[in-house]
Amino acid sequence: MSPLRPLPRSLAPLPDESLVGLLLRLAHHNNVSPGTIVRHTGLSTHRTGLTEHLSISQQCLPTPEQSAEFARTTRLGEDEVANLFLAPFGARYGPLDATLIRRPRGRILHGNHDVFRRWSRFCPSCLAGDSDIERAHGGSWKRLWRLPPVFACPAHRCLLRHNCAKCGHLGMEVQGFALIPRIKNEDLHPSQCRVVTEGRPERLNAPICGARHDQAPAPDCSEDFLKTALALQQDLIGFLCPDGPREVGSVGWMVDTNQYFIDLHTVAGLITLTWPAARNLALSAEHVEILEQDALEREERRDRLKGGAGKFHHFHALASPSVDARAYVAAAAIAHRILKGTDSGALTALAPVHAHLQEVQGPMKTTGDRMRNFPRNSPPLRFLLTHRTPITIEGIHQYATARDREWRPAP
């Protein structure tokens, strides 16, 4: 088979640009479809009929052969190509660390609700861009927007949107199995909504929304809520940065930074699963109102999932990170405050959650107990949630995963 020829025109990746974002901009720059770029850069592993297919899992990690071919055909450096994918975040973000979540790297996104695999949040101002090349081909669809703990844009002082302002579908929402919606369409701008609004998505003539995400308004919230969100975002972005701290405090003990995000989502998930048990922990009346609405929407989503095939209870709908930035902030702000305190403070704060799980029976209690004893939780948090007593070094060492490091209390 003859080697693929380099693209006629290439583009340098924008800061933190995702694979999807670069493919869309390359397609627009070369006046072809994103699928054509996939085919001509060696990303597709499929044969006849699906040569323009890009699977959802490919946004995490390419094979060495794919990476080398993509670098050659786009005239990019190996480091530039590696930084288009999600895998490098594993060192800072636990849900993408194959060792922590105990999965093969090729299946790290499978069923992973701590990563937005099938959609993306976005900042309209970032998509509009501020340079000539961005104004011509769109701004950066950032990798960080796929991570739930990234919910605000400090540069533009706004929350990230999660949906199209016109059709209401999630940003860059996958319809079917291809990572890029309407991957064979060559007429859409990288900032346009690619969602099929009627009929089957695979139909070539199916109507597309087409609204411009870069012209959408930012989510509405009060100035006080925005200040709280930006302060929380500053903390979490600091943890995600490559030069951020290697360890942070979690319920009074030092844990690896990537582990902290697993702890954060466990505590936030217990709060949303048992809401309104932790109502008195909300930071303001606005946070309470947002979490009340989020709880209603989660129940509706779970009811819809229950109506489908299978025997699962779909409690992940009640406990997984919210795609709406406002709801995520309201729950994560409580969890962050609990984790940054002491173990005794965490026991007091989580007492209503524990009491709720003791009162209920059935699948919800089973789900809550599984989350509390989750092997992926840090040993200090796991001990605190299951034993409901102050943490001791002997208690930490009862877990096999805790015996390969030195544990010390947080200052």
Side-chain angles (χ1 to χ4, degrees):
M1 183 177 180
S2 59
L4 298 171
R5 291 181 294 177
L7 295 175
R9 291 179 286 186
S10 190
L11 289 168
L14 297 171
D16 191 45
E17 186 162 29
S18 65
L19 174 66
V20 169
L22 182 63
L23 290 173
L24 291 174
R25 292 196 309 119
L26 283 173
H28 194 259
H29 190 39
N30 286 274
N31 297 311
V32 296
S33 71
T36 300
I37 299 296
V38 168
R39 184 174 71 247
H40 282 281
T41 54
L43 282 180
S44 177
T45 57
H46 293 270
R47 297 183 177 180
T48 306
L50 286 173
T51 55
E52 297 185 352
H53 179 78
L54 186 69
S55 70
I56 295 169
S57 63
Q58 282 175 275
Q59 65 185 309
C60 185
L61 186 71
T63 65
E65 295 77 18
Q66 286 177 322
S67 183
E69 190 76 337
F70 190 81
R72 186 183 66 80
T73 53
T74 56
R75 305 183 187 90
L76 299 180
E78 291 183 7
D79 290 344
E80 289 179 306
V81 173
N83 287 331
L84 295 170
F85 295 85
L86 295 175
F89 283 133
R92 312 297 303 180
Y93 185 63
L96 285 172
D97 185 319
T99 302
L100 272 180
I101 68 171
R102 304 178 184 183
R103 283 188 182 174
R105 298 187 75 182
R107 292 181 59 81
I108 203 166
L109 293 184
H110 183 74
N112 192 337
H113 299 290
D114 289 335
V115 183
F116 297 144
R117 303 166 297 140
R118 301 176 66 88
W119 58 77
S120 175
R121 291 186 184 135
F122 59 93
C123 170
S125 296
C126 287
L127 290 182
D130 55 9
S131 66
D132 290 342
I133 197 71
E134 289 174 289
R135 282 187 283 271
H137 305 297
S140 173
W141 281 93
K142 299 180 185 293
R143 291 182 303 163
L144 280 170
W145 294 345
R146 295 271 176 172
L147 307 186
V150 179
F151 46 77
C153 177
H156 297 108
R157 293 197 81 255
C158 69
L159 297 177
L160 301 183
R161 284 194 68 91
H162 67 280
N163 62 351
C164 174
K166 180 181 177 182
C167 71
H169 282 268
L170 298 169
M172 202 57 68
E173 182 177 4
V174 170
Q175 293 182 303
F177 299 100
L179 179 59
I180 298 177
R182 302 297 291 185
I183 197 168
K184 295 184 179 182
N185 192 305
E186 58 187 47
D187 299 323
L188 292 171
H189 187 273
S191 296
Q192 279 186 277
C193 179
R194 310 175 71 88
V195 167
V196 172
T197 54
E198 293 180 25
R200 301 178 62 170
E202 62 270 18
R203 282 180 47 212
L204 294 178
N205 60 347
I208 298 171
C209 173
R212 293 286 293 252
H213 291 319
D214 55 353
Q215 298 171 4
D220 185 43
C221 66
S222 70
E223 185 62 26
D224 286 343
F225 186 94
L226 182 59
K227 287 180 180 178
T228 299
L230 290 173
L232 177 61
Q233 186 68 94
Q234 184 177 10
D235 279 356
L236 299 184
I237 284 287
F239 296 166
L240 288 168
C241 287
D243 57 353
R246 291 181 57 204
E247 294 182 315
V248 295
S250 178
V251 291
W253 291 77
M254 298 303 292
V255 303
D256 293 339
T257 303
N258 61 352
Q259 173 70 72
Y260 181 82
F261 287 102
I262 294 178
D263 289 0
L264 180 74
H265 286 165
T266 293
V267 176
L270 286 170
I271 289 167
T272 59
L273 177 71
T274 61
W275 187 262
R279 190 177 190 276
N280 66 317
L281 299 178
L283 273 60
S284 71
E286 184 177 6
H287 285 239
V288 170
E289 183 179 347
I290 288 170
L291 285 171
E292 295 283 3
Q293 181 62 35
D294 180 58
L296 293 175
E297 293 174 358
R298 286 175 182 270
E299 285 287 358
E300 291 174 359
R301 179 169 173 243
R302 178 176 168 252
D303 288 343
R304 290 196 301 270
L305 291 171
K306 282 171 60 180
K311 299 180 180 179
F312 300 103
H313 294 286
H314 300 294
F315 273 87
H316 65 81
L318 304 183
S320 58
S322 175
V323 66
D324 188 316
R326 290 166 295 196
Y328 182 89
V329 169
I334 299 173
H336 186 59
R337 177 178 290 185
I338 291 172
L339 293 176
K340 299 305 288 182
T342 63
D343 56 351
S344 60
L347 285 169
T348 301
L350 292 172
V353 171
H354 289 305
H356 181 92
L357 289 174
Q358 296 307 308
E359 293 167 4
V360 300
Q361 297 297 321
M364 178 180 283
K365 177 174 173 56
T366 301
T367 300
D369 290 344
R370 185 167 60 246
M371 291 174 65
R372 291 189 302 117
N373 198 32
F374 202 27
R376 298 173 190 171
N377 295 335
S378 70
L381 178 65
R382 188 177 177 188
F383 180 86
L384 180 141
L385 291 176
T386 54
H387 290 79
R388 284 174 282 167
T389 59
I391 302 166
T392 64
I393 191 67
E394 293 78 15
I396 291 175
H397 282 157
Q398 77 179 32
Y399 303 111
T401 56
R403 297 167 193 162
D404 58 353
R405 63 163 290 167
E406 179 184 352
W407 293 93
R408 64 186 192 281

